[in-house]
Amino acid sequence: MCAPGDVPVVSAAARQISPQELFAYLGGGRVFDELVAGFYRRVRTDDVLAPMYPQDDWAGAERRLRTFLEQYWGGPDTYGRERGAPMLRRRHLPFEVDEVARDRWLTHML
């Protein structure tokens, strides 16, 4: 497992790893649970981002992001089975995601 801030050293003879091995190497579901929970704790009080989220469905928003990230990084395909293709651009069209919102999102994710 990789600790936050660790950079794995890869030799020239490194082998390809499967998406599932990458997911496990990153720490599996626990890491994404912690990442997304921390992100949403900060977003809920953000004056720019909070209004973009369904105020009556924070748990749903958290689950959608967690399952998306898990699938993207080699974990279970829950997001795809429940929501279909990510279509991130289309799903976010109703929101004004300008540079300020982008930077806030990245700050909270970091």
Side-chain angles (χ1 to χ4, degrees):
M1 178 168 57
C2 180
D6 284 355
V7 177
V9 176
V10 180
S11 72
R15 67 178 179 84
Q16 289 259 342
I17 64 170
S18 72
Q20 295 78 19
E21 288 173 309
L22 176 61
F23 182 73
Y25 178 78
L26 293 172
R30 177 189 55 78
V31 167
F32 294 97
D33 288 343
E34 293 173 9
L35 175 71
V36 172
F39 172 77
Y40 277 106
R41 271 194 306 275
R42 294 180 288 278
V43 167
R44 282 187 180 126
T45 60
D46 187 284
D47 61 326
V48 172
L49 296 180
M52 295 184 193
Y53 287 87
Q55 300 303 302
D56 60 344
D57 190 24
W58 284 104
E62 189 169 326
R63 176 176 167 65
R64 289 185 292 276
L65 178 58
R66 187 184 70 252
T67 58
F68 169 79
L69 291 174
E70 286 176 339
Q71 181 171 316
Y72 182 86
W73 289 100
D77 66 348
T78 306
Y79 184 91
R81 285 185 289 106
E82 292 180 355
R83 310 252 321 147
M87 301 180 299
L88 296 178
R89 185 177 200 137
R90 189 174 115 206
R91 291 185 197 273
H92 291 86
L93 276 176
F95 309 102
E96 186 173 336
V97 181
D98 57 14
E99 289 181 8
V100 172
R102 176 204 63 200
D103 291 348
R104 294 275 184 98
W105 192 95
L106 288 170
T107 295
H108 295 314
M109 188 55 72
L110 290 173

